[in-house]
Amino acid sequence: MERYAVRSSTKAARRRLEAAGFDSAQAEALLHMIGDSQEALATKQDLASVQGALKQDIAEVRSELKQDIAEVRSELKQDIAEVRSELGAILGLALR
């Protein structure tokens, strides 16, 4: 909720609280507590901004992960080729 909207309704809220039996100090304290708690709330715009940033972060991590997998796959293929070559050399010597 926008801070302006909270301020514009403060007088009306104070009157309603006082009509319900709150004295002026109690009404004021309650309205301050509500106002303070609303400052910590996220707006739809805050959530949309965070959502956009989070989607971008996920896309970057996904891309990095794909690259890491491709590198590991390439290294593994190279290691397998080396083992085959070494094994072939060992077996070739053993058959002679």
Side-chain angles (χ1 to χ4, degrees), residues 13-49:
R14 184 179 294 117
R15 284 193 299 266
R16 284 195 311 251
L17 289 170
E18 288 173 355
F22 282 74
D23 65 35
S24 181
Q26 290 172 322
E28 187 70 24
L30 181 58
L31 292 173
H32 278 290
M33 285 177 31
I34 292 170
D36 290 345
S37 68
Q38 287 180 344
E39 287 179 9
L41 298 176
T43 64
K44 287 181 181 180
Q45 185 177 5
D46 293 336
L47 295 176
S49 174

Side-chain angles (χ1 to χ4, degrees), residues 50-82:
V50 169
Q51 182 182 23
L54 184 58
K55 284 182 178 182
Q56 184 174 350
D57 289 347
I58 289 171
E60 289 174 8
V61 168
R62 181 177 284 146
S63 176
E64 291 172 5
L65 185 57
K66 284 181 180 182
Q67 184 177 353
D68 289 347
I69 289 171
E71 289 173 7
V72 168
R73 194 175 274 158
S74 176
E75 290 172 6
L76 185 57
K77 284 181 180 181
Q78 185 177 358
D79 289 347
I80 290 171
E82 289 174 9

Side-chain angles (χ1 to χ4, degrees), residues 75-94:
E75 290 172 6
L76 185 57
K77 284 181 180 181
Q78 185 177 358
D79 289 347
I80 290 171
E82 289 174 9
V83 168
R84 281 183 178 161
S85 177
E86 291 173 9
L87 187 58
I90 292 171
L91 289 177
L93 290 176

